[in-house]
Amino acid sequence: MQLQVTNSPFNQEQTEILNQLLPTLTETQKIWLSGYLAAPQTAAFLMTPESRAKNQPVAGNSPQSIKPSATREVTVLFGSETGNCQALSEDLSQKLEEKGFKVVLSSMDDFKTKDLKKVQDLLIITATHGEGDPPDNALSFYEFLNSRKAPKLKDVRFSVLALGDQSYEFYCQTGKDFDQRLEALGAERLHPRVDCDVDFDDLAAEWMEGVLGQLQDSSQVGQVEDSNVTKIAQLQTGATIQQVTKYSRTHPFQAEVLENLNLSGRGSNKENRHLELSLEGSNLEFEPGDSLGIYPENDPALVDRIIAEMQWDPEAPVTINKVGEVPLRIALLSHYEITILTKPLMEKAAQLSSNGQLKALVAPGNEEKLKAYIDGRDLLDLLHDYSPWEVPAKEILGILRKLPARLYSIASSYKANPDEVHLTIGTVRFHAHGRDRAGVCSVQCAERVKPGDKLSVYVHKNPNFRLPADPDAPVIMIGPGTGVAPFRSFLEEREEIGATGKTWLFFGDQHFRTDFLYQVDWQRWLKEGVLSRMDVAFSRDTAEKVYVQHRMLAKSKELYQWIQEGASVYVCGDEKHMAKDVHDTLLAILQQEGGMDQEAAENYLTDLRKQKRYQRDVY
């Protein structure tokens, strides 16, 4: 919102203050402010969420206008790896407070397990990480709940919202585990669990609506008599309010590409791109550790091969939810995922097909064969291998899931470059099953995106990957390959704010000559003292492969000393191999230098994680 000076009784200074305040207010705060300002004339009395939860009116408000408050407390716990579940939990908590409920909102890590038996209504929103594992900030709660120490919960009502990705074998497994375990402990299911794929907005909204409905049906909720209260449309001054467009995951910004450079040297086995995008006019802001979501387009050549294989009319109209009618080719280019097969997709395809081999492949007992077929194949393979298809195009498209955004760690500081965002993107290319394959977004950026083109983007907040609040605290950063991207953002930020804490970067890749990403930046920061020290590992430059964990182990004494001095440890990059190896190396260093046994070292790292001093952004 923007307050215009025209016809306003406010002077320029007051107008500027109001324009700084208005965009930061929640709907609840706007309603409260409206009632507060109007109270002397209209007696439109309101309560803050905090005072409403305590059934106490704001000073000067009329108690007669308030109905009884909710008799039960709602606890909202989240397990979030990339921030989606935390954002949904905050949204749900706000909705609950607006309905008059008292709410406890917490990450699972920060929730005191001794208080679990006091909980009345428990709402869990959790992601699933890796091979069906809980997110880092849900691990300790997950282990407690599945231990013999977990209390009986016969007086607790609960519901679970699970986020996942159907392209992974253990889809939404953590949410399923919580749902089953809470029931086994005697809790009553308030509302059925909902499992969400990467396109989670609609299902999450339906789950919230269902949960709110159940809670309201069974509780007396404090509400405000609102006959004279409306949300702020005007500040009762005659001044007009301008609506500022808010860009988000569901309403992306069209960002112009300013630069698109190949960071990899000639002869490299890799292609790593550095993109600079303009955010001018977007009102988007970000912090070090956040990611940028890009909505990509599929490879036109692959789309055309699918259309040719099926002998479809590329101009045939296709209706897409919330979009409307578009030509079939545009639908395949921009709206549907066609490069990844999943078990649910294969099962739905078998229902549309008369092919006995396909039906046998998805039958119970053939899980390993199905998993092997899915690996490295795409929609074109499926349509070709199990033809003919005697169903119209719209039915095939109806089983496809929405083309999801791709997230990339931001490689720049907003404070240093307020109208830009920089990305480091590793181009994915591979050969499988007789055909060359390509990453959807990475190859689009490498081959088809030029300066002046635009990409659909949004900022993805990641509150679980943040610099220490104290700029004097030491920082250890471990980021091989493109995993180094957020640490470029970290150091740009620390340079901009004049942070004085020590910094140590571990970087690795294949070859010094061709794969030393951002080498000039690191060297400048080392010279200026923004980066205190740097250790590198180029695995293909020596007879024996050397990785970042080997460099860490070689400097174990100094690393342990930094951690003892209060350093925060950050890890970014590949989860399956690098992150696991780094984690094991940290455990080894704690045992070697700290004289700990395995259990003590694991507990030490767990404590670091709870203190936000061991943070990972792995994928």
Side-chain angles (χ1 to χ4, degrees):
M1 292 181 177
Q2 195 76 20
L3 186 69
Q4 294 180 338
V5 179
T6 308
N7 297 325
S8 170
F10 300 110
N11 61 35
Q12 183 64 37
E13 182 181 0
Q14 291 171 323
T15 300
E16 289 176 358
I17 293 172
L18 285 168
N19 282 333
Q20 290 174 9
L21 174 65
L22 286 172
T24 70
L25 299 180
T26 65
E27 289 301 312
T28 303
Q29 290 169 327
K30 294 172 189 174
I31 296 170
W32 186 92
L33 182 61
S34 177
Y36 180 80
L37 295 174
Q41 297 83 21
T42 65
F45 303 116
L46 289 166
M47 301 173 72
T48 65
E50 292 81 5
S51 62
R52 186 188 296 124
K54 298 174 183 176
N55 202 19
Q56 293 294 323
V58 179
N61 284 358
S62 168
Q64 286 77 20
S65 66
I66 308 298
K67 293 179 181 178
S69 179
T71 57
R72 292 171 70 91
E73 179 179 83
V74 182
T75 300
V76 180
L77 300 182
F78 60 85
S80 187
E81 196 72 37
T82 63
N84 284 328
C85 291
Q86 180 168 345
L88 288 171
S89 298
E90 291 167 352
D91 183 32
L92 174 61
S93 296
Q94 181 177 326
K95 292 178 187 295
L96 287 163
E97 288 180 340
E98 288 173 353
K99 297 292 184 183
F101 288 96
K102 181 179 179 182
V103 180
V104 173
L105 170 66
S106 175
S107 71
M108 295 184 197
D109 246 4
D110 294 334
F111 183 74
K112 291 181 173 58
T113 52
K114 67 180 179 60
D115 293 336
L116 185 58
K117 55 188 173 185
K118 303 175 187 175
V119 169
Q120 298 176 317
D121 290 316
L122 175 62
L123 304 178
I124 284 181
I125 301 179
T126 184
T128 294
H129 194 54
E131 300 300 314
D133 301 321
D136 282 354
N137 67 354
L139 188 58
S140 57
F141 183 79
Y142 179 90
E143 290 174 346
F144 170 80
L145 201 66
N146 286 279
S147 72
R148 300 173 70 90
K149 295 181 180 180
K152 296 298 181 184
L153 302 174
K154 61 182 180 66
D155 294 325
V156 175
R157 300 187 303 178
F158 76 94
S159 187
V160 176
L161 178 67
L163 268 60
D165 184 336
Q166 286 191 358
S167 64
Y168 286 85
E169 182 179 0
F170 300 100
Y171 171 60
C172 289
Q173 189 61 49
T174 300
K176 295 173 183 176
D177 291 347
F178 275 127
D179 188 62
Q180 293 166 9
R181 181 58 175 163
L182 288 169
E183 182 179 44
L185 291 171
E188 175 190 351
R189 190 173 284 102
L190 177 71
H191 185 74
R193 185 190 78 245
V194 170
D195 298 334
C196 301
D197 200 3
V198 289
D199 182 27
F200 57 79
D201 297 276
D202 291 344
L203 283 175
E206 290 176 13
W207 176 80
M208 287 188 194
E209 185 177 341
V211 165
L212 285 166
Q214 290 293 333
L215 289 170
Q216 285 184 286
D217 286 346
S218 57
S219 299
Q220 286 189 333
V221 181
Q223 295 182 353
V224 180
E225 295 290 349
D226 60 356
S227 58
N228 293 317
V229 180
T230 59
K231 294 182 180 180
I232 294 182
Q234 292 182 327
L235 283 178
Q236 301 189 15
T237 63
T240 59
I241 301 293
Q242 292 180 334
Q243 186 69 38
V244 176
T245 302
K246 183 177 181 182
Y247 294 101
S248 65
R249 202 171 74 88
T250 54
H251 183 50
F253 175 69
Q254 297 300 305
E256 182 182 349
V257 178
L258 302 174
E259 293 281 357
N260 187 350
L261 307 172
N262 186 1
L263 292 175
S264 303
R266 182 176 299 174
S268 175
N269 297 320
K270 301 181 176 183
E271 182 182 356
N272 294 303
R273 312 295 301 192
H274 173 79
L275 265 67
E276 297 184 4
L277 309 178
S278 172
L279 295 181
E280 187 174 0
S282 69
N283 294 309
L284 290 173
E285 298 181 5
F286 55 86
E287 295 180 58
D290 287 340
S291 298
L292 193 78
I294 299 178
Y295 282 105
E297 287 190 351
N298 287 308
D299 183 356
L302 177 59
V303 168
D304 291 339
R305 288 190 66 176
I306 290 172
I307 291 173
E309 172 72 29
M310 299 300 289
Q311 298 182 6
W312 286 337
D313 176 4
E315 298 301 318
V318 175
T319 302
I320 297 175
N321 186 34
K322 296 185 178 179
V323 174
E325 201 172 84
V326 299
L328 183 145
R329 186 174 186 274
I330 298 300
L332 288 173
L333 274 173
S334 304
H335 297 283
Y336 292 113
E337 184 167 70
I338 61 174
T339 59
I340 296 175
L341 299 180
T342 66
K343 182 179 178 181
L345 172 62
M346 297 293 289
E347 291 171 341
K348 292 173 185 175
Q351 294 174 6
L352 296 180
S353 173
S354 59
N355 189 300
Q357 291 180 319
L358 178 57
K359 292 182 182 295
L361 183 63
V362 302
N366 280 340
E367 286 78 13
E368 289 305 314
K369 288 183 179 179
L370 177 59
K371 186 177 178 181
Y373 179 82
I374 286 173
D375 186 32
R377 287 186 169 91
D378 58 25
L379 181 64
L380 178 59
D381 294 303
L382 170 62
L383 296 176
H384 175 78
D385 294 345
Y386 297 103
S387 61
W389 298 84
E390 300 170 353
V391 293
K394 66 178 182 180
E395 293 198 33
I396 299 291
L397 268 59
I399 67 173
L400 302 179
R401 68 177 183 175
K402 183 179 176 181
L403 181 62
R406 269 56 173 178
L407 294 178
Y408 295 100
S409 297
I410 292 174
S412 59
S413 160
Y414 178 82
K415 286 185 174 69
N417 309 278
D419 287 330
E420 296 179 10
V421 61
H422 301 175
L423 303 175
T424 314
I425 299 178
T427 306
V428 177
R429 295 188 181 92
F430 61 101
H431 188 86
H433 311 294
R435 281 175 37 219
D436 289 333
R437 317 277 171 155
V440 175
C441 191
S442 66
V443 171
Q444 177 188 359
C445 291
E447 296 180 356
R448 305 194 300 276
V449 171
K450 311 297 181 188
D453 293 342
K454 292 187 177 181
L455 292 170
S456 297
V457 306
Y458 65 94
V459 170
H460 179 89
K461 298 290 184 182
N462 187 1
N464 301 311
F465 202 70
R466 288 282 184 261
L467 279 166
D470 180 5
D472 296 330
V475 172
I476 298 169
M477 302 163 285
I478 305 159
T482 57
V484 82
F487 304 134
R488 184 174 183 268
S489 170
F490 278 23
L491 293 174
E492 269 198 358
E493 180 86 359
R494 290 174 71 83
E495 179 181 38
E496 190 70 18
I497 65 175
T500 57
K502 297 187 298 182
T503 55
W504 189 350
L505 175 64
F506 288 87
F507 171 76
D509 215 312
Q510 291 188 350
H511 298 286
F512 171 85
R513 187 175 62 83
T514 59
D515 304 311
F516 199 164
L517 306 183
Y518 301 115
Q519 179 183 1
V520 173
D521 289 338
W522 312 130
Q523 290 176 332
R524 178 176 65 83
W525 281 323
L526 280 167
K527 181 179 179 180
E528 296 174 357
V530 177
L531 180 59
S532 306
R533 60 187 299 178
M534 183 175 188
D535 282 271
V536 296
F538 293 100
S539 59
R540 305 299 194 275
D541 283 348
T542 53
E544 186 176 347
K545 292 181 180 178
V546 177
Y547 298 106
V548 288
Q549 62 267 24
H550 299 126
R551 297 300 188 210
M552 292 168 60
L553 205 53
K555 302 293 175 67
S556 62
K557 190 175 185 65
E558 297 98 315
L559 255 178
Y560 181 72
Q561 184 62 39
W562 276 51
I563 293 172
Q564 289 294 97
E565 292 172 359
S568 295
V569 181
Y570 298 87
V571 182
C572 182
D574 168 62
E575 179 200 18
K576 287 186 178 179
H577 303 292
M578 182 279 298
K580 181 180 183 302
D581 291 339
V582 166
H583 184 85
D584 290 343
T585 301
L586 286 170
L587 290 173
I589 290 171
L590 293 174
Q591 293 174 74
Q592 178 178 312
E593 303 299 337
M596 306 177 195
D597 60 22
Q598 179 74 18
E599 183 179 1
E602 289 176 351
N603 289 337
Y604 190 96
L605 276 188
T606 297
D607 288 340
L608 284 184
R609 180 168 48 77
K610 289 182 177 180
Q611 296 170 39
K612 315 299 183 189
R613 288 180 53 209
Y614 179 33
Q615 299 184 35
R616 308 194 308 166
D617 182 9
V618 296
Y619 38 85

